[in-house]
Amino acid sequence: MTPTTETVVGIGGAAESTDMVLNIGPQHPSTHGVLRLRLVLDGERIQHAEPVIGYMHRGAEKLFEARDYRQIIMLANRHDWLSAFSNELGVVLAVERMLGMEVPARAVWMRTLLAELNRVLNHLMFLGSYPLELGGITPIFHAFTEREELQHVMEEISGGRMHYMFNRVGGLKEDLPAGWTARARACVAALRSRMGVYDDLVLGNEIFRGRTRGVGVLSAEAVHAYGVSGPIARASGVDFDLRRDEPYLAYGELQDTLRVVTREEGDCLARFECLLEQTHNSLDLADACLDRLAELPPGPVNQRLPKVLKAPEGHTYAWTENPLGINGYYLVSKGEKTPYRLKLRSASFNNIQALTELLPGTLVADMVAILGSLFFVVGDIDK
C-alpha cells in the first residue's frame, strides 16, 4: 500500500469570517447621479450598508438667504431635476402663505394641471430606467419617446425643457398659449394609449418579476421610522397622500378622480406597480383639469406685486406631494426681501436612508434592483 501525503495550504487567518468592504460609486452607472454606497460583505451577502452623500451638495439653503423671493424660485426648482415645476410650486405656496395671498382660480387649476403633467414626466423616467438597470433596454426607448411628446407641451407653455420657471409668487408667469389645451389633451390621450407597454412589456416579463418580487421588502414600520414618503411608502401599505389627506391647489375638487395607489407587499415589484398606476391616475387628473379650465371664464393668472417684495415677519411651513414624495418648506422671515431661513425637506433625502434597512441580509446581485426601486434623484439628496 502506497503511503498518502497530506498537504495543508494556508489561506490566511480566519478567512471565512473576514468581511470585505465594497464601495459602490461614487460614479456607479446604476445611480441617477453621484451617490456612494459603502457595503460590508460576507461573501455574496450584504451585512451593512451606508449611503454616503454630499458629492453634489450645492448649498442651496444658504444661497436662499442671499436671494429675494423671486430669485429663490430658480434655485429651488433644480434639486429634483425631474420635478422642476413641483419644486417651484412648494416655494411659492410657502411665500404666498406668509403674505396671506389669494391666487386667481385660473392659476390654481393651471398649477394643478402642470403639476400632474410634471408628475408623469418624472414617473416615465423611472418606468423606463428601472428595467434598464435590470437588463431590459427596450422600455427606456418607449419612455423617452413619450417624455419627448410631453416635453414639447411643457416647453411650449414655459420655454424650458427641464427648469420651467413658470411659477410666480401670486400665480403663474403668463396665460396659456392659444390652442395649447387642445394640444395638451391630445398628448395626454396619446400617452394613455401607449401606457400598456409597461403593463405588458415590463410587468408581464417573467425575468423582471423574478428579479423584483419579494426582493427589498420595506416594512410600514421602517417607512415611519425613516420618514419615507411617496410611492415607496404607499407600496408598503402606508396609505397617505397629501393631495387627498391635506388638499392644496385644486385637489380638494378632484377627489372623485384622485386615486391613492397602495400595495401591501413593500417589495421592488410593488414599488414599480405603484409608480405605474399613479402615472395612469395623473393622466386622468390632467384630463379633469383640462375639462375644468375649459369651463372657466378668461381671467388673470397672477397678482400684481410691488417692485420690492417683502414677506412679513414670522414663520410658516408648506408641504406638497411631489412626484418622489413629500417636500416640505419651512420659511422664516424677518420682514426683509430675502428669507431669514428656508429649510427644504426633500423626499429623496429621507427615502435613501431606508437603504440601511433594506440592503443588509440581501445578496449583492439584488443591490441594484433595490437601489433602482427607490426612485431617487441625487440632487434631491444633496440639495
Side-chain angles (χ1 to χ4, degrees), residues 97-119:
R97 182 173 293 182
M98 284 288 288
L99 293 168
M101 182 179 290
E102 288 287 333
V103 177
R106 188 169 178 80
V108 170
W109 281 96
M110 286 171 59
R111 281 178 171 179
T112 311
L113 167 62
L114 294 171
E116 290 306 313
L117 292 179
N118 192 203
R119 193 181 306 275

Side-chain angles (χ1 to χ4, degrees), residues 157-294:
I157 193 174
S158 68
R161 285 181 58 82
M162 286 188 69
H163 305 301
Y164 305 109
M165 278 303 296
F166 199 59
N167 276 289
R168 296 291 187 273
V169 177
L172 294 167
K173 177 186 174 185
E174 55 198 9
D175 206 346
L176 303 172
W180 183 86
T181 52
R183 291 186 285 277
R185 195 182 293 275
C187 178
V188 169
L191 290 180
R192 183 182 287 109
S193 70
R194 294 198 292 270
M195 287 300 293
V197 166
Y198 304 99
D199 291 307
D200 303 331
L201 189 65
V202 182
L203 285 181
N205 185 292
E206 62 182 26
I207 298 175
F208 178 82
R209 299 183 75 86
R211 289 291 307 276
T212 55
R213 186 194 285 117
V215 174
V217 176
L218 183 65
S219 67
E221 292 76 19
V223 166
H224 293 303
Y226 286 92
V228 175
S229 59
I232 303 171
R234 291 190 284 274
S236 296
V238 179
D239 188 6
F240 181 73
D241 191 315
L242 281 176
R243 297 174 297 170
R244 179 199 63 193
D245 300 322
E246 202 169 303
Y248 58 100
L249 295 183
Y251 289 115
E253 299 180 48
L254 291 169
Q255 297 300 307
D256 293 338
T257 307
L258 176 65
R259 288 186 297 107
V260 179
V261 182
T262 61
R263 291 288 188 277
E264 296 298 327
E265 295 82 2
D267 57 8
C268 295
L269 181 60
R271 290 190 278 273
F272 186 86
E273 287 176 343
C274 278
L275 203 72
L276 180 55
E277 283 196 38
Q278 191 165 286
T279 308
H280 281 286
N281 186 235
S282 289
L283 293 172
D284 295 337
L285 289 168
D287 268 339
C289 291
L290 286 165
D291 291 340
R292 183 56 190 271
L293 280 170

